[in-house]
Amino acid sequence: QVHLVESGGGLVQPGGSLRLSCAASGIIFNIYDMRWYRQAPEKERELVAAITDSSRTNYAPFVKGRFTISRDNAKNTVYLQMNSLKPEDTAVYYCNAFWTQSVNYWGQGTQVTVSS
């Protein structure tokens, strides 16, 4: 059974930092591309950052230079370091393990709130 468990969300002031983690089990982690998505209230889910199985990274324009995605295959974990957070970064952040369109898995999400 596949599980993706996100952690590290919370309340942070504008300009602050958070580090999200997503621990995976039940998959051969190192063959999956790993992605972070987010969904704000009344908005579509959007891709934030992605890292391939060979650790190539890609970022949405609205987080480039502020967020960093990384992975530790020995720990079956993907991370999202978020710096210089803005109120518009407030959302539920979801981890996604992607192999193919028909073989991909989602975590339950972790809430990130940026507010003073």
Side-chain angles (χ1 to χ4, degrees):
Q1 197 169 7
V2 178
H3 289 103
L4 299 178
V5 180
E6 299 102 333
S7 61
L11 173 63
V12 63
Q13 291 188 341
S17 298
L18 283 175
R19 188 195 197 203
L20 305 184
S21 300
C22 171
S25 60
I27 59 172
I28 304 172
F29 182 78
N30 61 3
I31 70 170
Y32 279 76
D33 295 347
M34 298 300 296
R35 301 169 177 181
W36 286 98
Y37 287 78
R38 70 185 187 188
Q39 188 166 19
E42 300 181 1
K43 290 193 174 180
E44 298 278 320
R45 190 171 295 191
E46 58 187 1
L47 179 64
V48 175
I51 186 165
T52 68
D53 58 346
S54 57
S55 294
R56 285 180 292 125
T57 59
N58 192 34
Y59 298 93
F62 50 80
V63 302
K64 214 164 188 178
R66 299 189 296 127
F67 291 10
T68 303
I69 189 170
S70 61
R71 65 189 296 159
D72 185 339
N73 289 340
K75 295 182 178 179
N76 286 3
T77 300
V78 62
Y79 304 98
L80 185 68
Q81 178 67 44
M82 306 187 294
N83 299 329
S84 303
L85 283 161
K86 305 175 181 180
E88 51 264 44
D89 294 318
T90 295
V92 178
Y93 283 71
Y94 297 91
C95 173
N96 174 259
F98 182 90
W99 190 27
T100 68
Q101 287 291 347
S102 57
V103 182
N104 67 95
Y105 304 99
W106 292 90
Q108 82 289 348
T110 185
Q111 176 70 46
V112 171
T113 302
V114 185
S115 175
S116 54

